[in-house]
Amino acid sequence: MPEINVLSKEISELIAAGEVIERPSSVIKELVENSIDSGASHITVEIKNGGTTYMRVTDDGCGISCDDVPKAFLRHATSKVVSKEDLNKICTLGFRGEALASISAVARVELLTKQKDDTYGTLYRIEGSEEVSCERSGCPDGTTIIIRELFYNVPARRKFMKKDVTEANSISQILQKIALSHPETSFKLIRDNRVEFNSSGDGELYSAIYSVYGRDFARDLIPVDHCFNDIRISGYAVKPLYARNNRSFQNFFVNGRYVKSRICSAALESAFHNMIMTGKFPACVLMIDMPPADMDVNIHPAKAEVRFVNEKNVSDAIFFAIKNALVENGLLYEFELKTKTDWTAGASEPAEEPVQQELMFTPVDKIEETEKNLNMSAPEAEKSVSQPQSQSSAEKSPVPFFMQVALEQSGDAIKAEEEARNADNYTPEPEQIPADITAPEPADNLCENITAENFRYINSRSFEAPVKEKTVPQPAEPVPENKPAIRVIGEAFKNYIMAEADNSIIMIDKHAAHERIIFERLKSRNCRQYSQMLMTEIRVLLPLNEFDALENNRELLADMGFEFDFSQKPYAAAKAVPTFLMELDMDEIIPEIAENLCLSKQDPQTHIFDDMLHTIACKSAIKANDTNDIRELQALAEQVYADEKIRHCPHGRPVMFTMTKGNIEHQFRRT
């Protein structure tokens, strides 16, 4: 057996540091908790490069005396525990005396501190657990600690560090949790010379929630306040209608300490049972105050978990607190529906006359007429599209507005090209553009006639094969001559299209077919032409990791028809969405996209991402029992029949069945 040796101080310090300091956020957590224990009312955290090269924590707490500064960096040196009895009544966030010793073992540390009654402060430098200098210095009351080059002497640990943005997000999340647990303290986070987060420190939990999660999240909360067996539960829980897509917004604080607890989470979700949809999770910010002797906070190196003496009491306290809060405040909102907003329309008075119902799919004759006009010269196109002046104003143009704009733009492009070609000997006079294809006057008037139904009409060309973006739109490729035409003859059970082609009867599941078409379109990343700008942005609160996943996939989202503004972190503001998703609840779709992008960071086309596209396609497709015009069904049937890829929905169900004329005649004993 090899000889047993006592480890050197250097090695033992590095091993011990690894248990407490895992990444920059671990350093910030320990230092901020020490600042809170010192009685600070203002704490500022500044980081650069995700905290890997520079971290600074400044507070206005009680400070450290000059004689105690060197002792503070010794392992197991603390002012919070004197006797073993103190371990049964721990009321501070830190108590083991390991934080400063662990940090100084793996970084270059500079401490500047001063107590209120002292004339001078102390400047102390330590690197790799070795003291560099200790001298008197002028400084304000409180403590400032600067950490440089984390893991400079442990290369093996440094190479496992994640990207700067990921480490910075982890620090931001830690500070947000601490800000929620101590609303009486003002916190500020400066990230790469930019203030990212600032809480008021007015002592109100609601103000802290507002600062961390924003107005929309805070607006959907109900207060919680309940006592059970010496356990007090206070804080806020989300209304049942506004449950989230995951558990990222469940926050539990035991005696002011943020903890992760399956017991607390299970009790919370049990209280919401049968009040929220399957797949949704309640959000909360709950303070659990209980006697310190009834729990053990020393079971996890980072103190992220606690153990309760009586788990059932804690579970029951949370369950009854939430139930009482829902009875008093939440159940009235159980069946409340958010107002469906037309994100593309401005604030205008409702039209006195009912708007004619537009078709979901463009009839074939209109598509052919429009494409014919697109291939004409500019004068011919204008002549074809323009209407006689004597025509009744109530009669609508057969060309949709979006195609009128396309005609106008294509005509202008052709005209400009001709002028450039014949500039030396010919200067054509500007032609009068017909009134019915000019851009409508002001934006307000334009928005009055735009409805969700009209945008579904614009989506009608979605049943054409995707066309690459070009200056002048090109007509769809003709159906091969050997492919017989299909003719819709009716609809069965308001779900199955009945059509005939050649000598066969064809039955098409309209929902499954439309679902597959939308899925293929999204997966092909060729949806820029369907992107529709919104009059009002859709702001969605996201966890920081999902926010970054969304931001890092701008091009993918643009190819899918989405455009986002990421300047309001952690809110992602949708500025444009695909027209075929206009009628969906974007508050659900956007978090689902972000979550799936976060899960499939390396390859957004994995099965995880495809599953999300299945869901979106299913939600946006026409449904059984929807009322559709015969021309809509004709347009859908033609694309399904012509495209060999549309034979199964994304979930594998068949889209189309055929029955030959011979089979039918055989059933009737005609053959």
Side-chain angles (χ1 to χ4, degrees):
M1 179 178 177
E3 182 180 357
I4 297 177
N5 299 312
V6 178
L7 292 176
S8 65
K9 177 184 177 182
E10 179 184 6
I11 297 177
S12 61
E13 291 284 352
L14 291 176
I15 293 174
E19 298 177 356
V20 180
I21 308 303
E22 299 177 358
R23 54 196 305 192
S25 59
S26 304
V27 175
I28 295 299
K29 176 181 181 295
E30 298 292 344
L31 296 181
V32 171
E33 288 180 348
N34 282 344
S35 295
I36 294 173
D37 289 339
S38 71
S41 57
H42 296 83
I43 300 175
T44 300
V45 177
E46 181 179 0
I47 62 173
K48 295 180 181 178
N49 301 321
T52 57
T53 59
Y54 182 87
M55 290 178 282
R56 178 175 63 87
V57 177
T58 302
D59 66 61
D60 57 356
C62 64
I64 307 174
S65 66
C66 181
D67 296 336
D68 287 341
V69 168
K71 289 191 295 183
F73 288 88
L74 299 177
R75 187 161 299 280
H76 306 308
T78 179
S79 61
K80 302 162 188 176
V81 175
V82 177
S83 62
K84 64 180 182 180
E85 287 75 16
D86 293 335
L87 295 175
N88 297 326
K89 50 182 180 179
I90 294 174
C91 298
T92 55
L93 297 178
F95 57 89
R96 292 191 297 232
E98 293 181 321
L100 293 180
S102 297
I103 295 170
S104 63
V106 293
R108 307 182 194 277
V109 181
E110 184 176 314
L111 172 69
L112 189 63
T113 183
K114 175 181 174 296
Q115 291 184 319
K116 182 178 180 180
D117 297 332
D118 293 344
T119 305
Y120 296 99
T122 304
L123 176 60
Y124 186 79
R125 294 187 179 91
I126 183 172
E127 298 178 2
S129 299
E130 297 295 332
E131 180 179 321
V132 176
S133 65
C134 181
E135 56 189 19
R136 306 290 284 178
S137 175
C139 63
D141 294 344
T143 302
T144 297
I145 298 183
I146 300 175
I147 311 297
R148 292 186 174 91
E149 300 179 40
L150 185 64
F151 298 130
Y152 78 98
N153 55 350
V154 193
R157 295 290 300 278
R158 192 176 185 86
K159 70 179 181 181
F160 284 101
M161 300 280 283
K162 300 184 184 299
K163 294 181 180 178
D164 290 349
V165 63
T166 304
E167 297 295 350
N169 286 341
S170 179
I171 291 174
S172 180
Q173 289 175 340
I174 288 290
L175 196 62
Q176 288 177 359
K177 304 295 186 186
I178 296 177
L180 291 174
S181 65
H182 291 81
E184 73 282 357
T185 304
S186 174
F187 296 89
K188 178 188 290 186
L189 174 61
I190 303 174
R191 178 171 172 175
D192 294 324
N193 301 319
R194 180 176 60 87
V195 176
E196 181 176 285
F197 167 73
N198 197 355
S199 66
S200 61
D202 60 0
E204 296 292 333
L205 178 58
Y206 191 84
S207 298
I209 296 174
Y210 193 102
S211 299
V212 172
Y213 291 131
R215 178 189 61 189
D216 295 339
F217 182 87
R219 180 186 56 200
D220 298 333
L221 299 176
I222 57 176
V224 177
D225 195 352
H226 181 71
C227 289
F228 180 83
N229 288 344
D230 294 332
I231 301 175
R232 183 186 178 190
I233 310 296
S234 60
Y236 294 88
V238 75
K239 298 175 184 177
L241 188 62
Y242 309 131
R244 318 299 294 189
N245 290 346
N246 50 50
R247 296 185 176 91
S248 301
F249 296 95
Q250 293 183 1
N251 301 278
F252 300 99
F253 303 92
V254 179
N255 291 353
R257 185 191 308 276
Y258 172 73
V259 298
K260 298 176 183 178
S261 173
R262 294 184 180 179
I263 296 171
C264 297
S265 182
L268 173 71
E269 293 171 16
S270 295
F272 276 87
H273 187 59
N274 291 333
M275 293 186 184
I276 58 178
M277 296 176 59
T278 302
K280 295 287 186 177
F281 301 92
C284 69
V285 179
L286 292 183
M287 304 293 175
I288 305 172
D289 296 315
M290 59 189 303
D294 291 346
M295 66 175 186
D296 184 3
V297 299
N298 197 26
I299 65 170
H300 191 277
K303 301 187 289 289
E305 299 177 4
V306 296
R307 178 182 297 146
F308 301 108
V309 173
N310 193 325
E311 295 179 349
K312 188 176 187 307
N313 278 351
V314 176
S315 178
D316 290 345
I318 295 175
F319 178 84
F320 291 121
I322 299 298
K323 275 294 185 185
N324 289 338
L326 291 174
V327 169
E328 296 173 4
N329 304 283
L331 292 183
L332 292 177
Y333 297 92
E334 183 177 353
F335 302 100
E336 178 187 354
L337 296 177
K338 285 187 175 180
T339 304
K340 186 175 181 180
T341 306
D342 186 357
W343 301 104
T344 60
S348 58
E349 296 295 330
E352 296 181 0
E353 299 181 1
V355 181
Q356 181 179 355
Q357 177 73 21
E358 296 287 0
L359 301 180
M360 186 181 298
F361 310 105
T362 304
V364 178
D365 56 346
K366 292 188 179 181
I367 294 178
E368 293 176 350
E369 180 180 352
T370 300
E371 293 175 344
K372 180 180 178 182
N373 291 333
L374 287 175
N375 290 295
M376 295 179 182
S377 62
E380 292 175 343
E382 294 169 2
K383 182 178 179 180
S384 173
V385 176
S386 61
Q387 302 294 328
Q389 296 295 328
S390 60
Q391 185 180 11
S392 171
S393 60
E395 184 177 352
K396 300 181 67 176
S397 169
V399 183
F401 171 72
F402 84 103
M403 295 305 297
Q404 295 174 9
V405 176
L407 287 173
E408 178 184 354
Q409 293 175 348
S410 61
D412 291 344
I414 296 172
K415 186 192 300 181
E417 185 177 350
E418 292 177 353
E419 290 178 1
R421 187 169 56 248
N422 304 319
D424 295 337
N425 52 13
Y426 173 69
T427 305
E429 296 181 0
E431 299 187 18
Q432 183 69 26
I433 298 179
D436 60 341
I437 64 172
T438 55
E441 40 308 319
D444 291 340
N445 295 338
L446 169 65
C447 293
E448 289 181 355
N449 296 325
I450 298 178
T451 64
E453 288 78 7
N454 291 340
F455 284 106
R456 294 179 71 184
Y457 185 89
I458 295 174
N459 182 38
S460 58
R461 290 183 63 92
S462 63
F463 290 96
E464 302 288 328
V467 181
K468 294 183 178 179
E469 295 183 34
K470 297 183 179 180
T471 305
V472 179
Q474 299 296 321
E477 295 192 7
V479 179
E481 294 182 359
N482 59 350
K483 192 80 170 180
I486 185 172
R487 183 176 69 89
V488 173
I489 58 178
E491 184 180 10
F493 311 116
K494 299 191 74 172
N495 185 45
Y496 304 103
I497 302 173
M498 309 297 294
E500 63 177 8
D502 198 14
N503 288 322
S504 299
I505 294 293
I506 299 174
M507 292 173 288
I508 300 174
D509 185 331
K510 65 181 183 181
H511 170 71
H514 195 196
E515 182 181 0
R516 183 69 188 200
I517 290 169
I518 295 176
F519 171 75
E520 291 294 338
R521 187 188 309 145
L522 289 170
K523 191 174 181 180
S524 68
R525 305 183 187 180
N526 190 24
C527 299
R528 290 179 184 261
Q529 65 267 38
Y530 305 117
S531 181
Q532 173 62 48
M533 298 298 295
L534 305 177
M535 294 291 292
T536 305
E537 294 181 345
I538 306 174
R539 296 173 70 249
V540 179
L541 174 65
L542 298 172
L544 291 179
N545 57 339
E546 295 180 6
F547 179 93
D548 287 332
L550 208 64
E551 185 176 15
N552 294 335
N553 285 275
R554 291 174 183 262
E555 284 301 314
L556 170 63
L557 294 169
D559 291 340
M560 292 173 60
F562 290 93
E563 182 179 346
F564 287 91
D565 176 12
F566 296 102
S567 63
Q568 308 171 42
K569 194 172 187 176
Y571 282 89
K575 300 170 61 178
V577 299
T579 55
F580 48 85
L581 302 182
M582 293 292 296
E583 296 187 357
L584 299 183
D585 186 356
M586 289 298 149
D587 291 339
E588 295 184 3
I589 294 298
I590 294 173
E592 187 168 352
I593 294 175
E595 182 178 5
N596 280 273
L597 287 174
C598 186
L599 292 174
S600 53
K601 292 178 182 178
Q602 302 300 324
D603 181 10
Q605 284 297 337
T606 60
H607 69 281
I608 297 176
F609 194 71
D610 283 353
D611 289 343
M612 183 267 296
L613 297 183
H614 294 169
T615 303
I616 295 178
C618 184
K619 291 180 179 179
S620 56
I622 56 177
K623 305 295 189 298
N625 297 319
D626 282 356
T627 301
N628 301 107
D629 188 274
I630 189 68
R631 292 171 293 177
E632 298 175 337
L633 301 179
Q634 177 70 32
L636 177 59
E638 287 180 355
Q639 182 168 0
V640 172
Y641 190 61
D643 193 344
E644 296 293 338
K645 293 186 298 183
I646 308 175
R647 293 296 177 262
H648 295 84
C649 79
H651 304 288
R653 295 191 300 269
V655 166
M656 181 175 69
F657 284 103
T658 62
M659 183 182 298
T660 65
K661 180 181 177 181
N663 289 336
I664 297 175
E665 291 179 341
H666 179 73
Q667 291 296 324
F668 284 100
R669 303 296 189 269
R670 298 178 66 91
T671 58

